[in-house]
Amino acid sequence: MFSYIVRRILATIPVMAVVAIFVFALLHLSPGDPAAIIAGDTATPADIARIRAHLGLDQPIYIQFGDWVWRLMHGDLGISIFTDLPVTQLIAQRVEPTVALTISTLVVSVAVAIPLGIIAAWKAGTWIDRAVMVFAVLGFSVPVFVLAYLLIYAFAIAADWLPVQGYVGPSRGLWPFVSHLILPSIALGMIYAALIARITRASMLDVLAQDYIRTAQAKGLGSLRVLLGHALKNASVPIVTIIGIGVALLISGVVVTETVFAIPGLGRLTVDAILRRDYPIIQGIILIFSGVYVLINLLVDLSYTLLDPRIRY
Amino acid sequence: MSIAPTKSPLADLPVSGAAPVRQRSLRQTVRRHPTIVVGGGLLVLMLAMAVFAPYLGTVDPQALHPLKRLEWPSAEHWFGTDMLGRDVYSRTVYGARVSLTVGISVAVLSTGIGLVIGVVTGFSRWVDTIVMRVMDGLMSIPAILIAIALMALNRASLGNVVFAITVAEVPRVTRLVRGIVLALREQPFVEAALASGTRLVGILSRHIVPNTLSPLLVQGTFIAASAMITEAILSFIGAGTPPNIPSWGNIMAEGRVLFQVAYYIVMFPGVFLSVTVLAINLLGDGLRDALDPRLSRLM
């Protein structure tokens, strides 16, 4: 087991190395002079030269790469072209709203999707099952920003129950903090919940057809105990896997959700960086988000042995 | 009571005899694959709207009418006008062209490129070792971030949007095809073909590639839906289709700041985008159920 954990952790190194090489190469794969593209159409030759020097593009490529990797390994993601501040500092300032939004979305999605998936599987073929599947298909089809505007219109403008936009930190009171997260979490979590509900249903259907479930029912166990104690436990590996893989959906959605709801998080920082062509920030955010994604999936892999004792490495 | 079949007096008439059979088969098709029929039907409608946009009561989607700005939906402007007085109905109808072009182009390109890379990696161990490590790395970057990074370094154009989203989708197709090829390679009919001296090109064209087409068709539909959403997101955040081309994402981005006073600018393209993506997802679900009965029971 210990050797598996070590091997699994080591396996993330080449993956992150590919991410790092891709992020570095991006700047050099673009057609034309990247400094000129970043500087924009109205830039003077002096602006372009300044950006070229700022990004080290006037150096030979192997020196650029060596410098970049060396700084990366020391936690230095470079300096923002627009603000002249370290990228790590800018990212650190924006982490809190994104973490709050992501965790609240994760909690809401899992809390809604797993019971829905279980009920759909338990009542397979009935109208309840079909309603859950319709929810799943709709969840996949309505883009996050369309849903976000529908929710804003219904609950913030027409009903005036919740704030339209913005973010309030937890230090300013629990309700202001929670009320600003409700609509963004539902909008962002819809596609994620649809995915989890669908996989939960599929995985539960598979398990509910097993002999040991029939045995449990024959022993006279109650439905709830069979579903939660026997079926869900054995169906949990695919569910946890999809919760891990689906984090990519959350990361993609964060960029849009934070834009719609004017939340000053990493997603909003990404959009600002794109509009200003502030490439060091874009590179830093890709590395951070990819690192988080790889880490979550590492934890998911490691959790398999806890969820299913039959899995041995 | 007689059980002998009675012959209808109309049975000898070829036209009236053929019609019920056709009706029955259509009914059976609808009953057996309702999602394909509904999804396919909606998609055909959207495609027709995109192709015949100039003939659907539209005006120039870029024509400015400052005196008519922010007019609510009416008989003259079915979906109202935006802050520059442009007709939102015409812009939404023309916007279908961008979304469908991006969706179909990305689906075709990424499945084509993914098929070639997947087949090569499935048959060459050393290529597999290198390429799949690269693909694993790329798959750990959320697709939207790859597309954003590529668009940030390229000038806004429809071609660049297609390129950026295709790059982001290729690793998933490659992994799918490679998995199928690895499984097929061990099948007795492929081993028999190899043993009987069939050349690799023949095995690929006769046995391997045809067996990847069904899953690729299903995957292609989901890629098209995902690409349309990604294009809309890119345009919405200002990194996609240039503003002079009306796309659903662009129209929504322009209406964003006025949402509280003129929500219809955001809602109409949003509804059209959702319906189109829903149509493609239904079609994909239906195709998967029809082509893979094992999955259809589970999902």
Side-chain angles (χ1 to χ4, degrees), chain A residues 213-256:
Chain A
I213 296 294
R214 202 177 310 123
T215 308
Q217 286 168 331
K219 279 196 309 186
L221 291 183
S223 300
L224 203 64
R225 190 134 177 233
V226 172
L227 280 175
L228 302 181
H230 290 70
L232 183 61
K233 203 171 173 203
N234 285 293
S236 59
V237 168
I239 299 171
V240 171
T241 305
I242 208 68
I243 290 173
I245 293 171
V247 168
L249 292 173
L250 287 190
I251 293 171
S252 306
V254 154
V255 176
V256 185

Side-chain angles (χ1 to χ4, degrees), chain B:
Chain B
M1 193 169 94
S2 168
I3 54 166
T6 53
K7 192 177 177 186
S8 160
L10 297 173
D12 290 331
L13 297 171
V15 175
S16 59
V21 173
R22 269 208 302 271
Q23 279 172 8
R24 196 162 52 243
S25 67
L26 184 66
R27 268 205 304 274
Q28 277 175 350
T29 309
V30 173
R31 202 178 305 143
R32 286 177 68 182
H33 304 295
T35 51
I36 294 182
V37 175
V38 175
L42 278 172
L43 187 61
V44 168
L45 275 179
M46 287 295 171
L47 282 167
M49 187 180 85
V51 171
F52 299 110
Y55 311 104
L56 296 174
T58 55
V59 295
D60 178 0
Q62 292 297 92
L64 306 177
H65 297 286
L67 293 177
K68 291 185 171 181
R69 63 200 174 94
L70 294 177
E71 281 187 9
W72 275 69
S74 63
E76 192 185 353
H77 298 288
W78 295 348
F79 293 177
T81 60
D82 66 8
M83 65 296 271
L84 298 172
R86 293 173 298 191
D87 183 49
V88 176
Y89 166 72
S90 304
R91 291 175 67 70
T92 305
V93 170
Y94 275 93
R97 291 183 167 188
V98 174
S99 277
L100 290 167
T101 303
V102 171
I104 294 168
S105 307
V106 171
V108 170
L109 286 172
S110 56
T111 48
I113 297 168
L115 175 65
V116 172
I117 302 175
V119 167
V120 172
T121 51
F123 267 90
S124 168
R125 194 158 288 174
W126 69 269
V127 175
D128 184 58
T129 308
I130 299 168
V131 172
M132 289 323 290
R133 293 296 77 73
V134 174
M135 293 298 163
D136 283 348
L138 289 179
M139 279 174 71
S140 67
I141 307 174
I144 188 84
L145 290 183
I146 296 182
I148 282 175
L150 289 171
M151 286 310 296
L153 275 173
N154 288 293
R155 295 187 194 286
S157 76
L158 203 55
N160 282 339
V161 170
V162 171
F163 168 74
I165 305 175
T166 301
V167 170
E169 295 288 352
V170 162
R172 282 156 191 82
V173 183
T174 303
R175 185 157 275 287
L176 173 76
V177 174
R178 173 184 172 270
I180 297 168
V181 172
L182 285 179
L184 284 172
R185 219 177 56 177
E186 308 302 324
Q187 293 292 314
F189 63 88
V190 175
E191 285 178 353
L194 275 168
S196 64
T198 311
R199 290 170 62 190
L200 187 61
V201 177
I203 292 174
L204 291 178
S205 61
R206 253 176 269 155
H207 301 298
I208 303 291
V209 173
N211 277 303
T212 63
L213 293 183
S214 294
L216 269 186
L217 181 67
V218 176
Q219 185 72 7
T221 56
F222 294 128
I223 288 175
S226 160
M228 288 172 65
I229 292 180
T230 307
E231 183 280 323
I233 290 175
L234 289 175
S235 297
F236 185 74
I237 61 176
T241 316
N244 62 330
I245 302 175
S247 80
W248 289 334
N250 273 347
I251 304 168
M252 293 181 74
E254 287 161 3
R256 196 170 74 205
V257 287
L258 294 162
F259 183 73
Q260 295 198 49
V261 288
Y263 64 85
Y264 59 86
I265 302 176
V266 169
M267 281 305 153
F268 284 115
V271 168
F272 274 73
L273 174 63
S274 304
V275 170
T276 312
V277 173
L278 176 68
I280 299 175
N281 278 336
L282 286 175
L283 184 65
D285 277 355
L287 286 173
R288 190 202 52 220
D289 293 351
L291 298 171
D292 188 346
R294 191 185 59 84
L295 268 179
S296 73
R297 280 200 305 276
L298 284 177
M299 305 289 282

